[in-house]
Structure formats: C-alpha cells, structure tokens
Amino acid sequence: MKKIHPKNIAQIDDIDELIDVAYVLFGSHHLSQPLQVCTYCCVMPHHVEQMYQYPVHALSKEVIFDYLDAAQSGTDEALSAQIRYFIPRIFELLVKGEYIRHDTELTFDKCRLDLGVWSKQEMAVFERFCELYFIQKLVAADKEKFCWLDIFGMMVMVNLSGIADVQRWFGLLIKHLYVDNVLINLCAQLYYEFKDGWYQNPYAKPLLTQQIYDWLTQKSTCQIISRQLIALTQKPIYHCLDDEQRFWVDYVFDWMADVSD
C-alpha cells in the first residue's frame, strides 16, 4: 500500500472510502495465536475456527460480537495489537447498523490506543472514522418526526478506545444542533441521564464526565443551546412532540438559563 499521510486521511469525507483505506492499511496484520480473549467460555469454538479460516471481510456480525464481548485473556498491549486485524470489519458493521457489542459504548474498549501500539497512520484512520461515524449519526437524525439518538453514548464509545480529546465531539455537536432531533435528544439525555449537570453513564470515565460537565456549564455553550431551543419552538416538529418531549425542551431551557446567569 502506498503510504498515506495522516493529514490526507483527515481530508477523507466519505466513510465508505475510509473503510476501504482501513482494509488496505490494517490488511498488513495477521490474526495471531492465541486469541487475546477468552475462548474457554466466551467465544464459541466454531467462531474461533471461522476467525482463522475466513478473510476478515467475510466474518459475520456474530463472530465479531463474540470477540468484542469476550473477556480479555492476554495483556493490554497484546490485545491492542491483535484487534487491529478486526478493525476494518468492525467499522463496516458499525456503519451498517449491526449489533456487535452488548453495550454500544464498549465497542472500542479493547483498542487501547493510549498504549502506543498503533502506528500514526492507524491512529489517524481510527480517529477519522470516529469523526465521520459521529457526523453520520447526527445527520441521519434529520427527520420530520422524533427519533432516538444516543449522543453522549457515542462520546463514551470513542473515549473508551483511548482517545482522550473530546473537544472535537463537542464542536461537532454544536455544529449539528440545527438538526432538530439532535437538539431534542440532547434535551432528553440531559433530563434522563444527568444529575445537576453530571453525566450518570456508568461506563463514562471520570475525566470524560468532568469534561462534559465543564462544556455544558460554559456560558457560551448555554447561550448557543438556548438560542437553538427558542428557534426549535417555532418549527413544525416541536408541535408534533408529546407533552413529555416538550417538557424535556422546557427543562433544558430553564436549566441553561440558570447556569448562564
């Protein structure tokens, strides 16, 4: 494969094109033995056989689920190195909306990018995929009727991979608040999953929880969200919401007003 500069990877806007790049880049890795996850009771024997018999692009979602959901058996470094073999297929299945982890937030928790095992190119492809995937989910919520979207859960998923910088996700979220369902889901999550501004997801690392709190309580953040909420009340989708959904909007508007005072 011709070496791709990380800056060029960051300029790829098509997620399918990026997955193709991932297949070539990560295709230099072979599945080592033994597996760095439990094969005694977590991964079914026939799935282990398929991992070694079939090319990675042919592995079923069930095989990938077994690997990702299995308990770790080796060192963090060995697992981080091995999972690179599966990464292109994981990307592909995620984009297809397949169920490949018991809890979506944990999809990338075996990657451990913070250990320094991955190359700069591999890191660049992974980070760009996460950006494009996040954007894809936000844009896909642009519908006339309300639909659910786990905004902060996606942030947890990326953060658990070992990517510590979450400021880019806050920026992307702000940029896509024009999507009504993104804004409504932000209100829903702030109502159900936050307490006094603190995110209550058990998978979220303390640092991420602090970063989310700091971002939410910034005056500039509150002002932007408040303006968007006011605009939302003048849109057709707002008048299609039920009483509970409108209460989310009112609750967050009042909360933002209190914080920004």
Side-chain angles (χ1 to χ4, degrees):
M1 173 187 175
K2 183 179 179 181
K3 190 172 182 180
I4 303 175
H5 195 282
K7 289 185 178 179
N8 295 331
I9 292 172
Q11 294 171 0
I12 297 176
D13 293 323
D14 186 285
I15 199 166
D16 292 325
E17 178 185 348
L18 188 69
I19 292 173
D20 290 340
V21 171
Y23 266 113
V24 176
L25 177 62
F26 289 93
S28 61
H29 299 295
H30 301 284
L31 186 57
S32 58
Q33 293 187 356
L35 290 181
Q36 300 300 314
V37 295
C38 169
T39 56
Y40 177 72
C41 61
C42 293
V43 181
M44 290 184 282
H46 68 283
H47 282 170
V48 175
E49 293 177 3
Q50 291 175 22
M51 289 180 195
Y52 288 104
Q53 291 176 355
Y54 300 161
V56 65
H57 66 82
L59 295 178
S60 69
K61 61 183 179 181
E62 291 81 11
V63 171
I64 296 299
F65 183 101
D66 254 12
Y67 184 88
L68 293 179
D69 224 42
Q72 179 177 338
S73 64
T75 66
D76 291 344
E77 290 79 6
L79 182 59
S80 178
Q82 186 176 78
I83 199 172
R84 292 179 296 178
Y85 174 79
F86 297 102
I87 281 297
R89 186 57 172 155
I90 294 171
F91 287 171
E92 192 174 23
L93 291 172
L94 274 175
V95 170
K96 290 180 178 179
E98 299 290 0
Y99 179 59
I100 57 173
R101 192 71 158 93
H102 185 269
D103 290 298
T104 304
E105 295 99 320
L106 301 178
T107 302
F108 293 138
D109 69 338
K110 289 181 169 65
C111 294
R112 294 301 307 272
L113 275 68
D114 54 316
L115 296 178
V117 175
W118 295 38
S119 70
K120 289 183 178 179
Q121 275 188 294
E122 291 168 346
M123 291 277 290
V125 167
F126 187 92
E127 292 182 6
R128 185 55 177 162
F129 173 82
C130 290
E131 285 183 332
L132 293 179
Y133 181 73
F134 190 54
I135 292 170
Q136 183 185 71
K137 288 293 185 180
L138 296 178
V139 173
D142 193 4
K143 301 176 180 178
E144 294 181 359
K145 294 183 179 181
F146 175 72
C147 61
W148 287 104
L149 177 67
D150 189 0
I151 298 168
F152 293 103
M154 288 190 288
M155 291 186 186
V156 174
M157 179 181 73
V158 174
N159 184 249
L160 288 179
S161 73
I163 297 177
D165 179 19
V166 296
Q167 295 305 316
R168 72 183 74 181
W169 316 117
F170 297 146
L172 289 172
L173 177 55
I174 287 293
K175 185 178 179 180
H176 289 84
L177 285 182
Y178 74 89
V179 179
D180 297 333
N181 271 314
V182 171
L183 184 60
I184 297 168
N185 273 279
L186 175 63
C187 293
Q189 287 198 261
L190 290 177
Y191 179 72
Y192 287 118
E193 301 176 25
F194 284 71
K195 183 177 181 181
D196 298 325
W198 293 94
Y199 189 34
Q200 301 298 303
N201 190 314
Y203 296 128
K205 294 180 179 179
L207 178 58
L208 176 62
T209 302
Q210 180 67 57
Q211 290 172 318
I212 292 174
Y213 176 83
D214 292 342
W215 175 74
L216 279 174
T217 54
Q218 285 179 1
K219 189 171 184 179
S220 58
T221 301
C222 294
Q223 290 175 338
I224 292 171
I225 294 175
S226 295
R227 287 198 297 269
Q228 292 293 333
L229 290 174
I230 292 173
L232 176 67
T233 61
Q234 306 304 311
K235 297 182 179 181
I237 192 172
Y238 177 78
H239 300 287
C240 295
L241 299 178
D242 59 32
D243 290 341
E244 181 180 13
Q245 292 164 343
R246 290 190 188 185
F247 183 76
W248 303 338
V249 176
D250 294 342
Y251 169 84
V252 172
F253 183 81
D254 292 341
W255 188 78
M256 291 292 164
D258 290 340
V259 173
S260 59
D261 284 343

